[in-house]
Amino acid sequence: AKLLGKARRVVFDPAMYAQAVERLALERDLRHGLERGEFQIYYQPVLDVRTRRPVEVEALVRWHHPERGLISPGEFIPIAEETGLIVPLGHWVLAEACRQLAAWRTAFPDCAPSAVSVNLSARQFRHPSLTADIAQILAETGLPPASLKLEITESVMMDDTASTLEALRDLKQLGVQLAVDDFGTGYSSLSYLKRFPTDAMKIDRSFARGLDQSREDQALVEAMIAAANALRLQVTVEGVETEEQLEFLERVGCDLVQGFLFAPPMPPDEVARFLHTGLQT
Ligand code: C2E
Ligand code: CA
Ligand code: CA
Ligand code: CA
C-alpha cells in the first residue's frame, strides 16, 4: 500500500493540475480584487405575493474580473470561504448594501425597499466581531436595524452548538432580522426551527422548480409554508419562474416571492427603475 501511495503521487494528471493552478490564480486575484474595487452588488427584488409589489431586495455579490469578465458567486464564494477572504469581502457587502439602502431611502422615500437581505457565510457568522461590525455599519449609515435581514443557511444555523445559538441571540438583540436560507436542503426537522430566534424562512429554489412536475414537491412546499406560518415566520420562496408556481404559492399562504418571473438580480440603477415603475407581471 505504501508503494502504491508513492507511485500514485508521481502520476501527473494534467486536468487536476490545471484546476489547482486555476484555483491558486483565482485566490490571488480575489485578494487584489477587493483592494481594486472589482466587486459589485446586484440586487434582486423580493415581492409581496398578495400585492405583487417589490418590498425588499436581496444583495448578491458579483465580481468583475479584469480578464475573465463577470464571475458569479458560486465560483468565488467557496474559495473566499476557504481562504478566509470572505470575512473582509462579506464586511464590504454588508457595508455597501446598507449604504445603498440608505441612499435609496433618501432618493425615493416612497418606494424604497423596507429591507435589504445580505447572505452571511459560515465563517463570517462565526467571526467574533460580527455583531459589533454590524452595529457599527448601522450606526454609520443611520439605518434602523430592522431594515437589515441576515440570511444564514439552514446547515450553518442548525449546527447545534451553544455558540451558534449565542451568536443568533446577539444578532437578534441588535434588532436585525434573521432568515434561514436554503431551507429544505439540510437535514433538520421542522420542529427544530422553533428553537432558533429567527424571523423568516427562505425555501430553496430547487422546490420552486419541482412545483411544476411533482406532487411530492407541492406537498413538501405546502407543509413547509404551513410550518412557517404556525411559527409566525415570514416565508419566502426563491426561484419563482412561472405564473403557475406563483398561483400555487399564493394559494398555500406564501408571503414573499423572488425569481426571474419578476426580476433577476440587477445593478442598483436598474433596481431603482424597477422599484419606481413597480410594473410587474
Ligand atoms: P442564494 O442565497 O440561494 O441566492 C439565490 C440565487 O438564485 C442567486 O444566485 C439568484 O441569482 C438565483 N435566482 C434568483 N431567482 C432565480 C430564478 O428564478 N431562477 C433561477 N434559476 N435562479 C434564480 P447567485 O446570485 O448566482 O448567487 C448564488 C449564491 O451565492 C447565493 O445563493 C448565495 O448563497 C451566494 N452569495 C451571493 N452573494 C453572496 C454574499 O454576498 N455573501 C455570501 N456569503 N454568499 C453570497
Ligand atoms: Ca440567499
Ligand atoms: Ca437558495
Ligand atoms: Ca406568514
Side-chain angles (χ1 to χ4, degrees):
K2 209 173 175 189
L3 269 174
L4 243 175
K6 257 191 181 156
R8 207 181 289 134
R9 233 177 293 151
V10 296
V11 172
F12 182 79
D13 179 336
M16 265 179 71
Y17 180 75
Q19 220 173 22
V21 168
E22 157 104 11
R23 214 192 133 81
L24 275 172
L26 269 186
E27 201 179 303
R28 181 205 56 207
D29 294 351
L30 206 54
R31 222 174 282 278
H32 296 128
L34 199 55
E35 292 153 19
R36 293 180 191 148
E38 292 168 5
F39 292 89
Q40 185 185 12
I41 303 181
Y42 276 31
Y43 298 87
Q44 185 174 35
V46 179
L47 290 84
D48 183 303
V49 171
R50 268 156 292 266
T51 64
R52 314 256 159 120
R53 302 205 41 100
V55 287
E56 301 181 352
V57 289
E58 178 175 3
L60 294 157
V61 69
R62 299 289 182 264
W63 182 11
H64 295 279
H65 191 282
E67 287 115 41
R68 296 170 202 230
L70 199 65
I71 304 184
S72 73
E75 262 181 87
F76 64 86
I77 291 285
I79 301 175
E81 172 85 8
E82 269 171 53
T83 54
L85 285 168
I86 193 69
V87 174
L89 176 61
H91 185 274
W92 177 81
V93 172
L94 274 164
E96 176 58 23
C98 288
R99 191 205 57 73
Q100 181 64 73
L101 181 56
W104 276 330
R105 289 203 172 152
T106 306
F108 332 107
D110 300 327
C111 57
S114 66
V116 63
S117 261
V118 174
N119 293 283
L120 283 193
S121 79
R123 205 135 157 179
Q124 240 184 316
F125 176 64
R126 303 201 192 299
H127 200 275
S129 71
L130 178 70
T131 308
D133 290 347
I134 292 176
Q136 192 189 351
I137 289 169
L138 291 171
E140 280 170 9
T141 54
L143 213 61
S147 302
L148 176 63
K149 194 187 262 187
L150 302 175
E151 300 191 0
I152 303 163
T153 62
E154 182 185 21
S155 57
V156 170
M157 202 181 282
M158 304 297 164
D159 170 16
D160 188 19
T161 61
S163 65
T164 301
L165 210 54
E166 199 184 302
L168 291 172
R169 288 200 180 119
D170 285 349
L171 290 168
K172 198 65 228 151
Q173 191 118 33
L174 197 61
V176 299
Q177 299 186 59
L178 299 177
V180 200
D181 202 7
D182 292 350
F183 192 81
T185 59
Y187 299 99
S188 56
S189 66
L190 284 170
S191 65
Y192 228 64
L193 272 179
K194 71 171 183 229
R195 299 173 46 199
F196 293 86
T198 56
D199 306 284
M201 173 199 286
K202 295 193 76 170
I203 297 176
D204 191 65
R205 70 166 187 264
S206 55
F207 291 96
R209 206 182 315 127
L211 288 180
D212 297 327
Q213 315 99 10
S214 150
R215 289 224 167 267
E216 284 81 9
D217 274 8
Q218 289 182 3
L220 269 175
V221 169
E222 193 170 351
M224 288 191 273
I225 291 173
N229 283 328
L231 293 166
R232 291 200 192 79
L233 298 176
Q234 181 192 51
V235 57
T236 305
V237 172
E238 55 180 33
V240 176
E241 294 184 355
T242 69
E243 195 65 44
E244 290 71 36
Q245 293 167 352
L246 176 63
E247 278 161 20
F248 175 85
L249 293 169
E250 183 172 24
R251 212 160 48 239
V252 298
C254 180
D255 299 311
L256 303 174
V257 278
Q258 75 186 92
F260 297 165
L261 177 62
F262 315 102
M266 302 177 283
D269 52 331
E270 280 174 48
V271 177
R273 265 200 299 282
F274 184 87
L275 297 171
H276 231 65
T277 56
L279 285 177
Q280 291 85 51
T281 58

